[in-house]
Amino acid sequence: MCGIVGAIADRDVVPVLIEGLKRLEYRGYDSSGIAVLDGDAIRRVRRTGRVAEMEGAAATEGFAATLGIGHTRWATHGGVTESNAHPHVSHGVALVHNGIIENHEQQRERLLALGYEFESQTDTEVIAHLIHYHLQGGGDLLTALQRTVKELTGAYALAVIGRSEPQRMVVARMGCPLLVGLGEGENFVASDVSAILQATRRVMFLEEGDTAELTRAGVRVFAADDAPVEREVRFSDVSLASLELGPYRHFMQKEIHEQPRALADTIEAAIDAGGFPAALFGADAGAVLKDIEGVQILACGTSYYAGLTARYWIEAIAGLPCSVEIASEYRYRAACANPRHLIVTISQSGETLDTMEALKYAKALGHAHTLSICNVPESAIPRASELVCYTRAGAEIGVASTKAFTTQLAALFQLTVVLGKLHGRIDAALEADYLEQLRHLPGSVQHVLNLEPQIVAWAERFAGKSNALFLGRGLHYPIALEGALKLKEISYIHAEAYPAGELKHGPLALVDAEMPVVVIAPNDSLLEKVKSNMQEVRARGGELFVFADQDSNFSASDGVHVIRTPRHAGVLSPVLHTLPVQLLAYHTALARGTDVDKPRNLAKSVTVE
Ligand code: G6P
């Protein structure tokens, strides 16, 4: 999605802006631009395509300045064109914007009547004109911004510079993340801390409705009522190494290989505690989690599949009813809310608009208790939740989620055991057993990674296919869904997943020699059923690619290929079976030569509907 970076300093800030935009590239975008104050003129460069193209144009035109703003855009209102790219300018005011202004049409009518002309189809351009309009009415840039945001409905993070005010930048936030970075004699603003880590680690997260003024010497923040307010200064511990590729070819590959460490970090607190205290989810979690009668999970994309997996655990292990729903559906449905059901949102970014809105909707329906599972500290969804569990996957750059997913599963398993204990389903011996299984998880995952060469060989066969089916049952059905999603996201091969028992009700009609069928077939209570479903495929000439356990008793034969994970991992088996499907998608995409980390049309963080 869109990204913002801005800087005010005594040095040339253009390299800071460009570097920041490159750090934001992973979030998905289609065009980029910067605007700087050069003498008493605003200069701007914008390009569609990669940041590198815009960087080249800025270099050719000799951009250098001590005050500037930059933006990566992911088109919502108006196509991917240079004139729709940010920054937008109105008579010496330049701004960048993340989010969506819902009343932009009314504001556009009003501004047209006042004689303003528009050069883009964006909702953003109205903000630039409104700020100029309020500047004309008297007052400075900050006052004009504060007046403007009171006339906007919708979501925004804004960074604004003005020709008349070379000593400052003003910013505002509502519904979209924005943070200020504090340097020595220089200050920064960004939508994501990764954009400014090169310059500073001292950050201040702005709150909803805040506006702020950044000068070289300092930062002043104002609450929604324009009264001065203090916001806490924190030290970001996001590691620069997590933002670098290192020896890997793609971030996705790196992140797949980081899973043993990411899982170990995510379960560390439980291991240290020697069990599953409710405090893993916050100081007040015990009372809240004991009081609930069921769980409603809300999420999108890969996070939704983590939720689907958790449903099997929560119902079977904790004995609580659990529903899982795609956030964008839930938020527009007249749902029958049970206020004693815990709302669990799952979001690696913590920013996904549909998930955020679903959470607000659930609260409006009367749900009293909310819990967020998230990978990004201080992001919007955990901040709006009563209880929080942060996964510790580290920054995930590849658009296709990998380590965020498996760490979500680890967090959800811990939630399951906490709930099971509080609801009398798990005694001390069983708790110790689950802890032992969790303790072995990072090591087992490492073993699965060793299967990579075998999976590469499969990927070469997949690369020439146009379609693929993924089958799983029970706990592993969501992993089949995740495998199909990964494959289609990054290799652009059409892939669908079905519960294996559903094959005969439709998808079997698609099976022929050209249809590879991936089967997740661990040695669990459904294995014999899965084997029967595989026979249905073989009988129609379909080629089977089976991920089994060492003890599943499968042997490869004509049209049946088998890769065995080291051992059956009990209830945690879905985590282990995720890695092979991630690797299959990755190597298939590699063989097809797609842009693995930035698949076409997709974004890492989806802050629009
Ligand atoms: C986008 C990403 C997916 C992610 C989904 C939900 O589609 O490309 O990888 O699963 O958003 O994102 P969230 O941050 O809420 O987990």
Side-chain angles (χ1 to χ4, degrees), residues 300-303 346-350 352 399 401 408 489 603-604 606:
C300 305
T302 288
S303 297
I346 310 170
S347 173
Q348 52 85 18
S349 65
T352 304
V399 164
S401 187
Q408 285 168 351
E489 274 183 311
K604 182 79 189 156
V606 185

Side-chain angles (χ1 to χ4, degrees), residues 282-322:
D284 304 329
V288 171
L289 297 179
K290 195 171 170 53
D291 191 44
I292 57 149
E293 291 174 350
V295 177
Q296 169 72 62
I297 297 178
L298 303 170
C300 305
T302 288
S303 297
Y304 169 68
Y305 296 147
L308 283 184
T309 313
R311 179 176 63 181
Y312 289 88
W313 285 332
I314 290 170
E315 297 217 339
I317 297 173
L320 291 172
C322 177

Side-chain angles (χ1 to χ4, degrees), residues 27 298-305 346-353 355-356 373-376 381 396 398-402 404-405 408 482 485-486 489 599 602-606:
R27 296 163 56 93
L298 303 170
C300 305
T302 288
S303 297
Y304 169 68
Y305 296 147
I346 310 170
S347 173
Q348 52 85 18
S349 65
E351 281 176 30
T352 304
L353 186 88
T355 307
M356 183 68 196
I373 292 179
C374 185
N375 196 43
V376 180
I381 295 171
E396 190 179 70
V399 164
S401 187
T402 52
F405 176 69
Q408 285 168 351
E482 174 60 4
L485 177 63
K486 285 279 123 357
E489 274 183 311
L602 300 180
K604 182 79 189 156
S605 169
V606 185

